[in-house]
Amino acid sequence: MWRDKILDRNHYYSIGEVAATCNTSIKTLRYYDEIKLVVPEVRKEESKYRYYSKDQMVTISIIRKLRMLGFSIKEIKEIVSANQVRNLEQKIEDKLVCIKKEIEALNQKYFEGEQFLQRLKEGAQILHLYDDDLKKIQAGEMDAITVKEVPEVNLYHSRRIMQSYHNDEVSLERWVEINDEVSRHGLKVCGPITVTYYTDLLDQFLSKDCDIEFGIQVEESGSKHVRKFGGFLAATAFHVGPYSDVIKSHIKIIQWINQNHYKVAGPVSEEFIISPVDLRNENEHVTKIIIPVTK
């Protein structure tokens, strides 16, 4: 029970003084009182005023420090109750391990968000150039297809036969699966998803059983699930718009290859710069078609 006592104001402090000195709100101090974390040593019954001792101010400062480190109220109660340096040392060590993991997770999120943003910016630039160049392309003043060396990247990949495959929409299940696998292995995604078709040309559009590899660019190498992609000459073009129409761009590139006396020299790939799982507006989807070639 609380009892009134004559206060030595050199040793006891009002709730307002404690709040100011410890840089803690009065609301927080009342909450600590309510949950019995720090109960004022003296309470004046007639006025309901609360007064704290110097030791309690020290405890409040310790609590504030522990709260800043992310300890829960339950954990703080245990630490304050134990009041032992070895206990506090172990708790801080454990907390620092947790904080380090949180920092690593946040860094990973930031990295992935940064890569996603860069891909969107690349797609937006392609869309801008596409709008500017479309009339020239339609007038025959420039060609939308180029032949260039594809830069070599690391590709986390998963390859399997897909039954009666028809490439008129994205395989959402495979996309989710490849992203989950990369995350589970702790790899850093640094580029778009790439789908490679180990089939005869255009078989992926004919509802046939197709050997298909889903991959995603990562920073790391050396894993059995990570291979090199690129380092070859390829005819490339961007398909802008609904993915359901991508077959038209494939046919145009194949015709261009034949007309310019190139030969297809490897499996066809698609890089999804802005994909159907990035943006619902299909008119702004950007897919890069890559067909290895040789003279």
Side-chain angles (χ1 to χ4, degrees), residues 245-263:
D245 293 337
V246 74
I247 185 174
K248 297 176 183 178
S249 295
H250 278 263
I251 291 172
K252 286 180 182 178
I253 299 175
I254 293 170
Q255 290 174 337
W256 185 94
I257 289 171
N258 293 331
Q259 291 166 1
N260 288 272
H261 310 294
Y262 285 94
K263 294 181 180 178

Side-chain angles (χ1 to χ4, degrees), residues 119 175 178-179 191-195 214-217 270-272:
R119 183 158 53 82
W175 280 55
I178 197 80
N179 276 289
I193 280 184
T194 301
V195 179
F214 278 71
I216 188 167
Q217 290 181 30
E270 294 172 344
E271 282 186 3
F272 292 84

Side-chain angles (χ1 to χ4, degrees), residues 7-27 29-30 33 38-44 47-54 56-57 60:
L7 294 179
D8 180 348
R9 294 295 279 119
N10 292 321
H11 296 90
Y12 289 93
Y13 303 86
S14 71
I15 191 170
E17 291 171 328
V18 173
T21 302
C22 298
N23 196 19
T24 303
S25 70
I26 291 176
K27 182 179 179 181
L29 292 174
R30 286 174 176 161
D33 183 7
V38 182
V39 177
E41 191 167 309
V42 177
R43 191 193 304 272
K44 304 296 284 186
S47 62
K48 303 298 183 183
Y49 284 177
R50 299 169 173 86
Y51 294 93
Y52 296 80
S53 68
K54 285 186 177 180
Q56 288 184 309
M57 290 179 67
I60 291 166

Side-chain angles (χ1 to χ4, degrees), residues 67-160:
R67 288 293 282 168
M68 290 176 63
L69 287 172
F71 284 98
S72 68
I73 291 294
K74 181 180 178 181
E75 290 171 324
I76 290 172
K77 279 187 174 181
E78 293 174 355
I79 293 170
V80 171
S81 176
N83 197 27
Q84 293 178 342
V85 67
R86 289 297 300 162
N87 177 267
L88 180 59
E89 178 187 5
Q90 186 61 55
K91 295 292 186 182
I92 297 298
E93 285 182 351
D94 293 344
K95 178 56 69 175
L96 289 178
V97 170
C98 293
I99 291 173
K100 185 177 181 180
K101 289 180 179 179
E102 290 172 2
I103 290 172
E104 291 172 351
L106 284 173
N107 283 334
Q108 178 68 14
K109 286 182 181 180
Y110 183 87
F111 179 84
E112 291 180 2
E114 190 175 41
Q115 296 299 317
F116 185 23
L117 178 60
Q118 289 179 4
R119 183 158 53 82
L120 291 175
K121 286 183 175 180
E122 179 186 355
Q125 184 178 26
I126 293 167
L127 288 169
H128 178 71
L129 292 174
Y130 181 84
D131 288 340
D132 290 345
D133 295 343
L134 184 57
K135 291 182 180 179
K136 294 180 182 179
I137 294 170
Q138 291 173 338
E141 298 174 7
M142 66 177 292
D143 211 323
I145 301 167
T146 59
V147 172
K148 57 185 179 182
E149 187 82 8
V150 177
E152 192 173 80
V153 298
N154 297 318
L155 198 73
Y156 180 91
H157 62 95
S158 173
R159 180 175 168 180
R160 72 180 65 146

Side-chain angles (χ1 to χ4, degrees), residues 206-253:
L206 302 177
S207 297
K208 291 187 174 182
D209 294 349
C210 293
D211 184 358
I212 303 175
E213 176 192 81
F214 278 71
I216 188 167
Q217 290 181 30
V218 296
E219 279 198 340
E220 297 83 358
S221 60
S223 166
K224 67 177 182 178
H225 296 292
V226 177
R227 72 175 182 89
K228 296 296 183 182
F229 175 83
F232 52 79
L233 195 67
T236 67
F238 293 103
H239 174 77
V240 175
Y243 185 68
S244 57
D245 293 337
V246 74
I247 185 174
K248 297 176 183 178
S249 295
H250 278 263
I251 291 172
K252 286 180 182 178
I253 299 175

